[in-house]
PDB file of all heavy atoms in Angstrom:
ATOM      1  N   VAL A 260      95.881 104.649 100.797  1.00  0.00           N
ATOM      2  CA  VAL A 260      94.789 104.991  99.880  1.00  0.00           C
ATOM      3  C   VAL A 260      95.300 105.867  98.741  1.00  0.00           C
ATOM      4  O   VAL A 260      94.900 105.706  97.595  1.00  0.00           O
ATOM      5  CB  VAL A 260      93.643 105.691 100.644  1.00  0.00           C
ATOM      6  CG1 VAL A 260      92.624 106.277  99.684  1.00  0.00           C
ATOM      7  CG2 VAL A 260      92.970 104.714 101.592  1.00  0.00           C
ATOM      8  N   ASP A 261      96.209 106.804  99.049  1.00  0.00           N
ATOM      9  CA  ASP A 261      96.751 107.708  98.037  1.00  0.00           C
ATOM     10  C   ASP A 261      98.257 107.833  98.226  1.00  0.00           C
ATOM     11  O   ASP A 261      98.727 108.746  98.917  1.00  0.00           O
ATOM     12  CB  ASP A 261      96.085 109.077  98.144  1.00  0.00           C
ATOM     13  CG  ASP A 261      96.578 110.048  97.095  1.00  0.00           C
ATOM     14  OD1 ASP A 261      97.327 109.638  96.176  1.00  0.00           O
ATOM     15  OD2 ASP A 261      96.217 111.232  97.188  1.00  0.00           O
ATOM     16  N   PRO A 262      99.049 106.927  97.639  1.00  0.00           N
ATOM     17  CA  PRO A 262     100.502 106.962  97.823  1.00  0.00           C
ATOM     18  C   PRO A 262     101.164 108.253  97.344  1.00  0.00           C
ATOM     19  O   PRO A 262     102.270 108.563  97.750  1.00  0.00           O
ATOM     20  CB  PRO A 262     100.998 105.768  97.001  1.00  0.00           C
ATOM     21  CG  PRO A 262      99.833 104.850  96.916  1.00  0.00           C
ATOM     22  CD  PRO A 262      98.630 105.746  96.882  1.00  0.00           C
ATOM     23  N   GLU A 263     100.484 109.031  96.519  1.00  0.00           N
ATOM     24  CA  GLU A 263     101.055 110.280  96.016  1.00  0.00           C
ATOM     25  C   GLU A 263     100.777 111.465  96.941  1.00  0.00           C
ATOM     26  O   GLU A 263     101.146 112.592  96.624  1.00  0.00           O
ATOM     27  CB  GLU A 263     100.484 110.586  94.624  1.00  0.00           C
ATOM     28  CG  GLU A 263     100.745 109.500  93.599  1.00  0.00           C
ATOM     29  CD  GLU A 263     102.223 109.312  93.297  1.00  0.00           C
ATOM     30  OE1 GLU A 263     102.954 110.321  93.228  1.00  0.00           O
ATOM     31  OE2 GLU A 263     102.638 108.151  93.138  1.00  0.00           O
ATOM     32  N   VAL A 264     100.150 111.239  98.079  1.00  0.00           N
ATOM     33  CA  VAL A 264      99.749 112.319  98.976  1.00  0.00           C
ATOM     34  C   VAL A 264     100.954 113.064  99.556  1.00  0.00           C
ATOM     35  O   VAL A 264     100.893 114.261  99.780  1.00  0.00           O
ATOM     36  CB  VAL A 264      98.822 111.798 100.101  1.00  0.00           C
ATOM     37  CG1 VAL A 264      99.575 110.935 101.092  1.00  0.00           C
ATOM     38  CG2 VAL A 264      98.127 112.938 100.799  1.00  0.00           C
ATOM     39  N   GLY A 265     102.059 112.391  99.763  1.00  0.00           N
ATOM     40  CA  GLY A 265     103.231 113.022 100.342  1.00  0.00           C
ATOM     41  C   GLY A 265     103.978 113.892  99.344  1.00  0.00           C
ATOM     42  O   GLY A 265     103.805 113.774  98.137  1.00  0.00           O
ATOM     43  N   GLU A 266     104.811 114.758  99.872  1.00  0.00           N
ATOM     44  CA  GLU A 266     105.625 115.644  99.046  1.00  0.00           C
ATOM     45  C   GLU A 266     106.913 114.929  98.645  1.00  0.00           C
ATOM     46  O   GLU A 266     107.563 114.308  99.492  1.00  0.00           O
ATOM     47  CB  GLU A 266     105.983 116.908  99.824  1.00  0.00           C
ATOM     48  CG  GLU A 266     104.788 117.757 100.186  1.00  0.00           C
ATOM     49  CD  GLU A 266     104.110 118.352  98.963  1.00  0.00           C
ATOM     50  OE1 GLU A 266     104.819 118.751  98.020  1.00  0.00           O
ATOM     51  OE2 GLU A 266     102.872 118.401  98.954  1.00  0.00           O
ATOM     52  N   PRO A 267     107.310 115.022  97.377  1.00  0.00           N
ATOM     53  CA  PRO A 267     108.577 114.417  96.962  1.00  0.00           C
ATOM     54  C   PRO A 267     109.755 115.084  97.665  1.00  0.00           C
ATOM     55  O   PRO A 267     109.756 116.296  97.875  1.00  0.00           O
ATOM     56  CB  PRO A 267     108.643 114.678  95.457  1.00  0.00           C
ATOM     57  CG  PRO A 267     107.275 115.080  95.056  1.00  0.00           C
ATOM     58  CD  PRO A 267     106.601 115.636  96.266  1.00  0.00           C
ATOM     59  N   ILE A 268     110.737 114.296  98.044  1.00  0.00           N
ATOM     60  CA  ILE A 268     111.957 114.810  98.654  1.00  0.00           C
ATOM     61  C   ILE A 268     113.006 114.880  97.548  1.00  0.00           C
ATOM     62  O   ILE A 268     113.285 113.872  96.898  1.00  0.00           O
ATOM     63  CB  ILE A 268     112.422 113.896  99.804  1.00  0.00           C
ATOM     64  CG1 ILE A 268     111.374 113.887 100.910  1.00  0.00           C
ATOM     65  CG2 ILE A 268     113.783 114.347 100.331  1.00  0.00           C
ATOM     66  CD1 ILE A 268     111.668 112.929 102.032  1.00  0.00           C
ATOM     67  N   PRO A 269     113.580 116.061  97.323  1.00  0.00           N
ATOM     68  CA  PRO A 269     114.580 116.183  96.259  1.00  0.00           C
ATOM     69  C   PRO A 269     115.754 115.246  96.522  1.00  0.00           C
ATOM     70  O   PRO A 269     116.173 115.050  97.654  1.00  0.00           O
ATOM     71  CB  PRO A 269     115.039 117.637  96.351  1.00  0.00           C
ATOM     72  CG  PRO A 269     113.997 118.336  97.141  1.00  0.00           C
ATOM     73  CD  PRO A 269     113.356 117.311  98.025  1.00  0.00           C
ATOM     74  N   GLY A 270     116.252 114.663  95.458  1.00  0.00           N
ATOM     75  CA  GLY A 270     117.387 113.755  95.600  1.00  0.00           C
ATOM     76  C   GLY A 270     117.763 113.153  94.273  1.00  0.00           C
ATOM     77  O   GLY A 270     117.349 113.618  93.218  1.00  0.00           O
ATOM     78  N   SER A 271     118.495 112.091  94.344  1.00  0.00           N
ATOM     79  CA  SER A 271     118.983 111.406  93.149  1.00  0.00           C
ATOM     80  C   SER A 271     117.863 110.652  92.459  1.00  0.00           C
ATOM     81  O   SER A 271     116.980 110.087  93.104  1.00  0.00           O
ATOM     82  CB  SER A 271     120.084 110.426  93.555  1.00  0.00           C
ATOM     83  OG  SER A 271     120.407 109.588  92.486  1.00  0.00           O
ATOM     84  N   ALA A 272     117.918 110.629  91.140  1.00  0.00           N
ATOM     85  CA  ALA A 272     116.944 109.866  90.362  1.00  0.00           C
ATOM     86  C   ALA A 272     117.359 108.405  90.234  1.00  0.00           C
ATOM     87  O   ALA A 272     116.648 107.606  89.648  1.00  0.00           O
ATOM     88  CB  ALA A 272     116.772 110.485  88.983  1.00  0.00           C
ATOM     89  N   ALA A 273     118.519 108.052  90.800  1.00  0.00           N
ATOM     90  CA  ALA A 273     119.042 106.686  90.676  1.00  0.00           C
ATOM     91  C   ALA A 273     118.215 105.679  91.481  1.00  0.00           C
ATOM     92  O   ALA A 273     118.064 104.548  91.062  1.00  0.00           O
ATOM     93  CB  ALA A 273     120.491 106.648  91.130  1.00  0.00           C
ATOM     94  N   GLY A 274     117.698 106.070  92.613  1.00  0.00           N
ATOM     95  CA  GLY A 274     116.948 105.151  93.463  1.00  0.00           C
ATOM     96  C   GLY A 274     115.479 105.493  93.462  1.00  0.00           C
ATOM     97  O   GLY A 274     115.015 106.324  92.678  1.00  0.00           O
ATOM     98  N   PRO A 275     114.746 104.866  94.361  1.00  0.00           N
ATOM     99  CA  PRO A 275     113.314 105.193  94.447  1.00  0.00           C
ATOM    100  C   PRO A 275     113.117 106.629  94.939  1.00  0.00           C
ATOM    101  O   PRO A 275     113.920 107.146  95.702  1.00  0.00           O
ATOM    102  CB  PRO A 275     112.776 104.179  95.463  1.00  0.00           C
ATOM    103  CG  PRO A 275     113.953 103.734  96.242  1.00  0.00           C
ATOM    104  CD  PRO A 275     115.151 103.875  95.345  1.00  0.00           C
ATOM    105  N   GLN A 276     112.047 107.264  94.483  1.00  0.00           N
ATOM    106  CA  GLN A 276     111.728 108.636  94.885  1.00  0.00           C
ATOM    107  C   GLN A 276     111.154 108.636  96.299  1.00  0.00           C
ATOM    108  O   GLN A 276     110.064 108.120  96.528  1.00  0.00           O
ATOM    109  CB  GLN A 276     110.710 109.240  93.918  1.00  0.00           C
ATOM    110  CG  GLN A 276     110.183 110.601  94.338  1.00  0.00           C
ATOM    111  CD  GLN A 276     111.222 111.698  94.259  1.00  0.00           C
ATOM    112  OE1 GLN A 276     111.799 111.907  93.220  1.00  0.00           O
ATOM    113  NE2 GLN A 276     111.443 112.384  95.354  1.00  0.00           N
ATOM    114  N   LEU A 277     111.902 109.199  97.240  1.00  0.00           N
ATOM    115  CA  LEU A 277     111.395 109.313  98.606  1.00  0.00           C
ATOM    116  C   LEU A 277     110.329 110.395  98.662  1.00  0.00           C
ATOM    117  O   LEU A 277     110.414 111.408  97.970  1.00  0.00           O
ATOM    118  CB  LEU A 277     112.516 109.658  99.577  1.00  0.00           C
ATOM    119  CG  LEU A 277     113.413 108.514 100.021  1.00  0.00           C
ATOM    120  CD1 LEU A 277     114.530 109.056 100.903  1.00  0.00           C
ATOM    121  CD2 LEU A 277     112.631 107.454 100.765  1.00  0.00           C
ATOM    122  N   ARG A 278     109.342 110.158  99.497  1.00  0.00           N
ATOM    123  CA  ARG A 278     108.271 111.126  99.717  1.00  0.00           C
ATOM    124  C   ARG A 278     108.131 111.320 101.224  1.00  0.00           C
ATOM    125  O   ARG A 278     108.460 110.437 102.006  1.00  0.00           O
ATOM    126  CB  ARG A 278     106.953 110.612  99.123  1.00  0.00           C
ATOM    127  CG  ARG A 278     107.039 110.347  97.621  1.00  0.00           C
ATOM    128  CD  ARG A 278     105.706 109.929  97.048  1.00  0.00           C
ATOM    129  NE  ARG A 278     104.786 111.036  96.930  1.00  0.00           N
ATOM    130  CZ  ARG A 278     104.790 111.926  95.932  1.00  0.00           C
ATOM    131  NH1 ARG A 278     105.669 111.835  94.974  1.00  0.00           N
ATOM    132  NH2 ARG A 278     103.895 112.892  95.898  1.00  0.00           N
ATOM    133  N   GLU A 279     107.602 112.484 101.606  1.00  0.00           N
ATOM    134  CA  GLU A 279     107.356 112.785 103.018  1.00  0.00           C
ATOM    135  C   GLU A 279     105.886 113.122 103.198  1.00  0.00           C
ATOM    136  O   GLU A 279     105.333 113.947 102.484  1.00  0.00           O
ATOM    137  CB  GLU A 279     108.205 113.965 103.471  1.00  0.00           C
ATOM    138  CG  GLU A 279     107.920 114.366 104.900  1.00  0.00           C
ATOM    139  CD  GLU A 279     108.763 115.546 105.360  1.00  0.00           C
ATOM    140  OE1 GLU A 279     109.347 116.242 104.505  1.00  0.00           O
ATOM    141  OE2 GLU A 279     108.790 115.774 106.573  1.00  0.00           O
ATOM    142  N   TYR A 280     105.264 112.453 104.168  1.00  0.00           N
ATOM    143  CA  TYR A 280     103.884 112.772 104.534  1.00  0.00           C
ATOM    144  C   TYR A 280     103.917 113.211 105.991  1.00  0.00           C
ATOM    145  O   TYR A 280     104.444 112.507 106.857  1.00  0.00           O
ATOM    146  CB  TYR A 280     102.972 111.560 104.373  1.00  0.00           C
ATOM    147  CG  TYR A 280     101.588 111.813 104.929  1.00  0.00           C
ATOM    148  CD1 TYR A 280     100.690 112.626 104.250  1.00  0.00           C
ATOM    149  CD2 TYR A 280     101.200 111.277 106.147  1.00  0.00           C
ATOM    150  CE1 TYR A 280      99.428 112.882 104.762  1.00  0.00           C
ATOM    151  CE2 TYR A 280      99.938 111.524 106.663  1.00  0.00           C
ATOM    152  CZ  TYR A 280      99.071 112.326 105.974  1.00  0.00           C
ATOM    153  OH  TYR A 280      97.814 112.593 106.479  1.00  0.00           O
ATOM    154  N   ALA A 281     103.370 114.382 106.268  1.00  0.00           N
ATOM    155  CA  ALA A 281     103.307 114.889 107.638  1.00  0.00           C
ATOM    156  C   ALA A 281     101.863 115.242 107.965  1.00  0.00           C
ATOM    157  O   ALA A 281     101.205 115.957 107.222  1.00  0.00           O
ATOM    158  CB  ALA A 281     104.197 116.108 107.801  1.00  0.00           C
ATOM    159  N   ASP A 282     101.381 114.715 109.062  1.00  0.00           N
ATOM    160  CA  ASP A 282     100.050 115.028 109.562  1.00  0.00           C
ATOM    161  C   ASP A 282     100.247 115.877 110.805  1.00  0.00           C
ATOM    162  O   ASP A 282     100.651 115.365 111.859  1.00  0.00           O
ATOM    163  CB  ASP A 282      99.284 113.738 109.889  1.00  0.00           C
ATOM    164  CG  ASP A 282      97.866 113.999 110.347  1.00  0.00           C
ATOM    165  OD1 ASP A 282      97.618 115.040 110.990  1.00  0.00           O
ATOM    166  OD2 ASP A 282      97.000 113.152 110.086  1.00  0.00           O
TER     167      ASP A 282
END
Side-chain angles (χ1 to χ4, degrees):
V260 170
D261 182 8
E263 301 296 321
V264 71
E266 296 294 322
I268 297 175
S271 169
Q276 173 69 56
L277 281 176
R278 301 184 74 81
E279 176 180 16
Y280 172 74
D282 183 328

